[in-house]
Amino acid sequence: MFTPLASRQTTAAVALLVAISPVWADDRHDHDDRRGAVGNAHSVQLGPRPFFLVDDMQGGALKRTLQKCGDGPFRKSDFSIGHRGAPLQFPEHTRESYEAAARMGAGIVECDVTFTRDKQLVCRHAQNDLHTTTDILATPLAAKCTKPFTPAVFDADGALLTPASAECRTSDITLTEFKTLRGKMDAANPRATTVAEYLNGTAAFRTDLYAGPTSGTLMTHAESIALFKKLGVKMTPELKSASVPMPYDSDGDGVGDYTQETYAQQMIDEYKAAGVRPQHVWAQSFDIRDIRYWIAHEPEFGKQAVYLDDAETVAELPGAAELHGYKDEGINIVAPPLFALLDVDGGGRIVPSAYAQNARAAGLDIITWTLERSGILADGDNGFYYQTIDPAIAREGDVMTVLDVLAKEVGVLGVFSDWPATTTYYASCMNLE
């Protein structure tokens, strides 16, 4: 998913998230490998964070309702979507992150899809993020990066003149080379003068505990499909825009080129090859041309393709007429960021936004992103995701109020979260499938 530049690094109080104590519940997801259904039943483990959030809520009916659910049972829910897995604590798009999301009850898990130099699909948030999400700069493969590591430059008084930089793309290396890398928390230190310092930039509210030399297992797209089937979760791949010109690796004759359409079809073909039913796949893209391609050429997958909105402010959001236009051309699901769906009324209450009302009036279903990505909420400056409702956010427990408005008043299908235990707790308590 898109992450705005405005994302902040905050203080370490959320380190208490780390412990994972089991809260067991039966999860009887239908199992039918022959027909492409996804996986065996497994137990849901929430750990302490959802309980901390509920306890931290301001008193009222919602808090009392959620407290009554404290003994469970907790069940997997499609309302709870693992955003890149569970990257609040685990390196994104790694096996370990995906497994953590499934254990926390995410009914749907995301693989962002891009391609390597040899045109193989892999799970990465962007084609050009290997320098911040893997250890590539500390390996011999750094020599193949599009832009090598350049240290920060300071003036005589120690003020930063030029931040440290690098750019390493999946298209710089082959699949075999990609698989030698280890995932790390997505971060970089702009003041770094060495590679080691550059790689050591993890936000204080996250952790490097699960990014060691024996973890951070990178995955191909096909491997993610096999894992998700085993874990019993559904799938929401996002086709990422290429950092290289498309068609890729073209010789100019137009024959056999790796076009955007080839890329979009390749992603769907890997689900078909694995026998996954279209009903278990929510293909996403920020590029409306991909959505249109799937609607036209893979209609069974296209009917629940998700058109992502990358607006960074309210002013950039589509209006009512444009939303109706989406529906008219066969788009059924839109996915804007959290702020787009929420507003604050005159009494200080969080309510559905005009965009949310317009989208529903157009007959569109809605998914939103991304919960648990803003660090500490009680400081009153929560950046991108809460920009329309910051005046109503005063404590960590307010995240549960946000979920309640999204579920009951906006009517979203699901919520992407960096820590799916939070959305799972709410969904289980409110009997959301």
Side-chain angles (χ1 to χ4, degrees), residues 190-213:
R191 301 181 65 84
T193 58
T194 67
V195 165
E197 290 176 349
Y198 186 77
L199 297 176
N200 186 24
T202 301
F205 65 87
R206 296 195 171 106
T207 180
D208 290 319
L209 284 174
Y210 307 110

Side-chain angles (χ1 to χ4, degrees), residues 81-87 370-372 415-423:
I81 306 173
H83 178 241
R84 314 185 202 177
T370 302
L371 208 70
E372 299 282 39
V415 178
F416 281 92
S417 179
D418 278 10
W419 199 244
T422 301
T423 41

Side-chain angles (χ1 to χ4, degrees), residues 136-279:
I136 190 170
L137 290 176
T139 77
L141 291 174
K144 297 190 174 187
C145 289
T146 295
K147 296 179 182 178
F149 170 71
T150 301
V153 177
F154 301 87
D155 67 16
D157 297 321
L160 182 64
L161 296 176
T162 307
S165 63
E167 183 181 1
C168 303
R169 301 174 177 176
T170 58
S171 53
D172 290 335
I173 58 177
T174 66
L175 177 59
T176 298
E177 291 168 331
F178 173 84
K179 290 288 287 180
T180 67
L181 302 175
R182 309 303 298 181
K184 74 175 194 68
M185 297 303 282
D186 182 15
N189 177 4
R191 301 181 65 84
T193 58
T194 67
V195 165
E197 290 176 349
Y198 186 77
L199 297 176
N200 186 24
T202 301
F205 65 87
R206 296 195 171 106
T207 180
D208 290 319
L209 284 174
Y210 307 110
T214 59
S215 57
T217 308
L218 302 192
M219 305 200 75
T220 69
H221 177 236
E223 287 172 339
S224 78
I225 294 171
L227 176 65
F228 294 165
K229 289 179 70 175
K230 180 180 178 182
L231 294 173
V233 299
K234 299 172 186 175
M235 311 168 197
T236 184
E238 182 193 335
L239 195 73
K240 305 302 296 189
S241 296
S243 299
V244 294
M246 298 293 276
Y248 175 62
D249 200 23
S250 174
D251 59 9
D253 65 3
V255 178
D257 287 349
Y258 192 70
T259 64
Q260 184 68 26
E261 293 78 11
T262 304
Y263 176 33
Q265 186 63 53
Q266 182 182 4
M267 189 183 85
I268 298 300
D269 285 346
E270 293 197 351
Y271 289 95
K272 295 165 73 174
V276 179
R277 287 184 285 182
Q279 299 94 315

Side-chain angles (χ1 to χ4, degrees), residues 13-14 16-17 47-57 63 372 376 395-400 425:
V14 187
L16 61 89
L17 305 176
R49 179 159 175 79
F51 303 90
F52 161 75
L53 293 172
V54 172
D55 288 344
D56 189 60
M57 293 177 68
K63 179 174 183 175
E372 299 282 39
I376 302 298
R395 55 206 308 141
E396 308 312 311
D398 286 338
V399 71
M400 305 307 290
Y425 185 106

Side-chain angles (χ1 to χ4, degrees), residues 101-120:
R103 290 190 182 107
M104 286 188 274
I108 304 171
V109 180
E110 178 187 47
C111 165
D112 289 330
V113 179
T114 188
F115 57 87
T116 59
R117 192 176 74 197
D118 46 351
K119 307 181 189 74
Q120 301 301 303

